[in-house]
Amino acid sequence: MNDVWSTCIDLDGYPAPTVPWTPAAHAEDRSALRPWRAAVGPVRVANAPGVAWRWPLTVAVWNARVGGGAIRSLWAHLARDRSPVILLLQEVFATGPDLPEAGPGAAWAPRIADEPQSERRTDIVSLARDTGLSLLYVPSMRNGGPGGGFPEDRGNAILANVPLSSPRAIELSFERQRRVAAAATVTTAEGDIAFCSCHLDNRAPWRYMWRTLGSARERQMAGLLDAFPGSVAEGACVLGGDFNTWVGGRREPAYRLARDHFPLPRKPDPNPTHHFELGGWLRHSDHLMFRLPPGWHGEYRRLDDTFGSDHYPLVGTVGPLA
């Protein structure tokens, strides 16, 4: 089995400083994770000088449907006034010669390769290179097996027009597919802000199907919260992602557990965020939450445009009160 998954490269494919890995998975998950690791490429990083700093900072959460979402259009919408923007992304993809062969013993997810209606399908590395943005991309799983098109992996990312520091990859407990959260820090004159982009499983394996009702995601969230924010004890922390809380929405244990650690905003936007695969009804799947020092604020709203994804973006602001 290869160890490409634990390496790190820049946007041009050259070796970059290793991104630390935090194991949030249980010891008994290691054998199940091994074949998924074998099929993904390296972590991708880039750091740009960024825009001139000013408050508030815009933060958004969005599941991009593995290229099906018009990510360039969303970025243009968020960054139109040249203010600092952090985008916490799920289901973005990367491609290129650095991906290993998905050989015998490897595991992968079914291929998703939707085309956006308003722009060409863009991998996250090309987007960061074209726009000069900072990036932390951590692949979770191979996007399709051998013979299914050009090799791709998919996972979580943090995209920003300000520098990112202290990048980390947090490998979650294994349920049905491998999941790895991406975490990084933004430094401001008023203190550091830690960010994390995560994506929990939508269901458990067939032999543990009862865990689909919530305990699978609770297990993954518990491990994540042990790792993030970690050593950041008093600073501002932002957690965002697709929690896949499709059974009970905000009543699910994973959401309630996260809210115990990230209590803001006190009144989250009530609008659901994802069109469920069966029947098309909307559910609360995506969440954005904050843990902030005294004198700071954090709030968000759901946009009314999916930008071609099957998820609506959540867009908010965070920073010291004026």
Side-chain angles (χ1 to χ4, degrees), residues 22-256:
T22 302
H26 294 201
E28 61 266 26
D29 294 331
R30 290 172 186 165
S31 60
L33 288 165
R34 194 173 297 118
W36 293 84
R37 292 171 174 173
V40 299
V43 175
R44 314 293 185 95
V45 295
N47 241 333
V51 298
W53 191 268
R54 60 176 175 171
W55 295 106
L57 179 149
T58 296
V59 57
V61 171
W62 190 46
N63 181 315
R65 184 62 182 173
V66 198
I71 191 169
R72 293 177 185 269
S73 298
L74 176 62
W75 181 266
H77 174 82
L78 296 176
R80 54 193 170 191
D81 62 354
R82 297 291 294 170
S83 63
V85 177
I86 307 291
L87 187 49
L88 306 179
L89 292 164
Q90 300 81 50
E91 286 197 357
V92 292
F93 75 99
T95 187
D98 300 288
L99 270 71
E101 291 187 12
W108 55 81
R111 184 176 177 85
I112 300 174
D114 293 346
E115 291 283 347
Q117 294 183 355
S118 59
E119 62 188 55
R120 62 183 174 87
R121 184 173 183 263
T122 304
D123 71 277
I124 194 64
V125 175
S126 297
L127 175 67
R129 186 190 300 116
D130 294 347
T131 54
L133 296 172
S134 298
L135 173 69
L136 169 63
Y137 165 70
V138 184
S140 291
M141 64 193 78
R142 186 69 163 242
N143 187 40
F150 203 69
E152 298 177 353
D153 55 26
R154 68 191 200 225
N156 299 316
I158 301 177
L159 190 70
N161 59 2
V162 292
L164 300 173
S165 62
S166 303
R168 282 195 295 151
I170 304 171
E171 191 174 45
L172 304 186
S173 295
F174 185 79
E175 287 295 332
R176 187 173 68 95
Q177 296 174 327
R178 181 173 179 258
R179 305 284 176 170
V180 186
T185 298
V186 171
T187 297
T188 80
E190 285 76 15
D192 290 348
I193 310 175
F195 293 88
C196 183
S197 172
C198 71
H199 191 184
L200 307 185
D201 261 306
N202 64 340
R203 66 173 177 85
W206 290 114
R207 66 184 182 277
Y208 301 123
M209 187 51 64
W210 59 271
R211 298 206 308 229
T212 297
L213 299 178
S215 61
R217 291 177 288 280
E218 181 182 23
R219 180 172 175 258
Q220 290 180 323
M221 180 58 72
L224 175 61
L225 294 173
D226 283 343
F228 179 81
S231 61
V232 183
E234 302 297 335
C237 305
V238 180
L239 175 64
D242 178 1
F243 293 7
N244 264 313
T245 44
W246 66 273
V247 178
R250 291 173 178 163
R251 299 186 303 277
E252 278 203 20
Y255 178 81
R256 298 200 310 267

Side-chain angles (χ1 to χ4, degrees), residues 206-317:
W206 290 114
R207 66 184 182 277
Y208 301 123
M209 187 51 64
W210 59 271
R211 298 206 308 229
T212 297
L213 299 178
S215 61
R217 291 177 288 280
E218 181 182 23
R219 180 172 175 258
Q220 290 180 323
M221 180 58 72
L224 175 61
L225 294 173
D226 283 343
F228 179 81
S231 61
V232 183
E234 302 297 335
C237 305
V238 180
L239 175 64
D242 178 1
F243 293 7
N244 264 313
T245 44
W246 66 273
V247 178
R250 291 173 178 163
R251 299 186 303 277
E252 278 203 20
Y255 178 81
R256 298 200 310 267
L257 190 60
R259 284 285 284 176
D260 288 343
H261 291 73
F262 297 86
L264 299 174
R266 300 194 186 282
K267 294 183 179 180
D269 189 320
N271 291 300
T273 61
H274 177 236
H275 290 279
F276 189 54
E277 291 83 354
L278 301 176
W281 51 273
L282 279 166
R283 63 179 179 141
H284 283 106
S285 179
D286 308 271
H287 306 281
L288 179 59
M289 48 187 66
F290 311 91
R291 194 189 75 190
L292 302 174
W296 284 52
H297 82 280
E299 58 189 5
Y300 75 87
R301 65 181 180 89
R302 194 205 75 177
L303 299 188
D304 293 329
D305 188 346
T306 64
F307 291 85
S309 176
D310 52 350
H311 291 252
Y312 290 91
L314 303 177
V315 179
T317 56

